[in-house]
Amino acid sequence: MNNLIWLLRASKWARNPPSARRVRLVLAIVALAIGVVVLERLGWWPDWARLEEGRAVRLPR
């Protein structure tokens, strides 16, 4: 049933595609997120923007 819903969404999107402005916006957000991940992996992310290990919320098991 879920596949049918996605098929209907895809057909609706094919009939009425998003504008070029919206596509550019989504691509810019994705590029920004990838850039943040790359900066963090390279170690270039500033220390003030990192999450401290002991301060994270932990869910009980």
Side-chain angles (χ1 to χ4, degrees), residues 32-43:
L32 182 66
I34 290 172
V36 167
V37 170
V38 167
L39 287 176
E40 184 188 10
R41 295 284 183 192
L42 290 175

Side-chain angles (χ1 to χ4, degrees), residues 29-58:
I29 291 170
V30 169
L32 182 66
I34 290 172
V36 167
V37 170
V38 167
L39 287 176
E40 184 188 10
R41 295 284 183 192
L42 290 175
W44 296 347
W45 193 249
D47 288 334
W48 59 265
R50 293 180 191 218
L51 182 64
E52 296 178 13
E53 291 292 327
R55 310 228 352 143
V57 176
R58 300 185 197 269

